[in-house]
Amino acid sequence: MFDNFPLWPERASSMAGNVDALFIFLLIVSGLMTLLIFTALIYFAARYRYRKGVMAEQIEGSTPLELTWSIIPMGVFLVIFAWGAVVYFKNRTPPRDSTEVYVVAKQWMWKLEHAEGQREINQLHVPVNRDVKLIMTSQDVIHSFFIPAFRMKQDVLPGRYTVAWFRATKPGTYHLFCAEYCGTQHSGMIGSIVVMEPAQYEAWMSGGSTGPLSASGEKIFAELGCVTCHRSDTQGRGPSLQGAFGKPVLLSDGRTLTMDENYVRESILDPGSKIVNGFKPVMPTFQGLVSEEQVNALVAYVKSLAQPGAAAAKNADVATPEGAPAKEQSPGSQVQ
Ligand code: CUA
């Protein structure tokens, strides 16, 4: 209906229809209310206008009338609330086994890195009809990752990860904007999302990778000596990370939390803040020693340790010369 209406952005994600439907509903409700209010206003102004010799009559309220104008709007607002909540939660919850892309924002560009290792700047290539999860952080100030055609917008903050997801439904090239004023070149912090057919995407993916992100993470893990304490047996000075990601963690203060991207990140940069039960706060901070990209790689590595059999396949891949990723390296994410 709005496809040829230039004021309406293109609709190219699984979420776009839901967001538009709610938005159109809000427009219709607001329009009807405006019409109702102005009709009544004009009618009453004419009907009860001042006339010589006619005295105004004082009316002392009406319970049925007050109930009506309280209950009907409440019903309408509850519909908006429930509908909005459904769309919101769907929008906030990345489906399991989404393809993962790490995003680092900085003044004034977007750096994107696929879990498979491809790096891009101000451009993101994704396959059509696949869930893509974005794990985002900023190197400096607050930015906001905005793809109008996908009806997707998420603030990108320094010092933590925020997550967003989308599923593109139409091949094509779509605008990427920064939607949070972030300095003089804010308006130039733009890019494009290239949605490709699976075969095309596979061809694109097969070029120019330096191996999966988790493999770079493994290398950094070894270089920084993490591996001396976080051993895969239970004898290390730090907790074993084997199979730990996504599982609950009991902390020394009795709290339990789920080991997610933000917890791994915090444990690297501020290791003393949430100690795993039974361990001593002996880990030094790596704040200032690792870049955002390196933290992302470490997170990807820790994550990969939670997938059974992933380590072996990954090691094989590291050995591949000149970065051409072995075809069997990530079958799940290559084949639709
Ligand atoms: Cu980045 Cu505005």
Side-chain angles (χ1 to χ4, degrees), residues 93-105:
T93 321
R96 280 174 188 281
D97 34 84
S98 306
T99 301
E100 296 189 343
V101 177
Y102 287 81
V103 180
V104 178

Side-chain angles (χ1 to χ4, degrees), residues 125-140:
H125 289 75
V126 292
V128 72
N129 288 326
R130 190 141 84 221
D131 300 326
V132 177
K133 176 180 172 185
L134 303 167
I135 302 163
M136 309 192 283
T137 190
S138 166
Q139 228 169 278
D140 36 51

Side-chain angles (χ1 to χ4, degrees), residues 105-110 140-144 177-183 185-189:
K106 63 172 258 190
Q107 288 168 322
W108 287 276
M109 64 163 78
W110 299 102
D140 36 51
V141 299
I142 302 179
H143 303 272
S144 184
F177 294 114
C178 177
E180 181 73 51
Y181 181 68
C182 56
Q185 311 275 329
H186 156 71
S187 63
M189 192 168 165

